[in-house]
Amino acid sequence: MQLLPVATCFGYVVLLVVLPLQLLGVHGQSVATVGVQMLALSAPMLVLPLLAARWATWLGSTRLCVAGLLLCALGCICCRGRRHIRCRRNGSRCWC
């Protein structure tokens, strides 16, 4: 069983669902600001599949998948700093 689709789901698809809700609800950003931020997150998906097809011919699909997962893990490590904030709507505490 291959777990690459599951890793993709955790690394990218979850961000498309959870991140806008957190930016709107917890951080109190406007809908337009969140929309622009989500465009910046989604824009590489227009270009990277074309590049990945070329890279797969040079590197092989296994190395390319491993490199992508390592890059995703590095991003998770860089974003792991959590801070305690107070929600703007109801005053409850949450982690972000």
Side-chain angles (χ1 to χ4, degrees):
M1 183 165 113
Q2 191 178 27
L3 294 177
L4 185 61
V6 175
T8 304
C9 180
F10 282 115
Y12 180 70
V13 176
V14 170
L15 286 178
L16 290 179
V17 176
V18 175
L19 187 60
L21 297 173
Q22 179 168 350
L23 293 175
L24 287 168
V26 176
H27 296 286
Q29 295 180 355
S30 70
V31 174
T33 303
V34 172
V36 169
Q37 290 173 344
M38 295 310 293
L39 279 175
L41 178 68
S42 300
M45 292 303 289
L46 295 173
V47 179
L48 287 180
L50 300 172
L51 291 175
R54 288 186 180 203
W55 293 339
T57 59
W58 295 334
L59 298 173
S61 60
T62 303
R63 288 186 201 161
L64 188 62
C65 290
V66 169
L69 290 174
L70 288 175
L71 186 62
C72 184
L74 179 65
C76 289
I77 290 170
C78 290
C79 294
R80 73 173 183 246
R82 292 181 162 194
R83 62 180 194 268
H84 204 156
I85 65 168
R86 190 169 289 279
C87 183
R88 292 185 185 180
R89 285 194 179 167
N90 59 11
S92 65
R93 294 181 179 210
C94 59
W95 292 95
C96 71

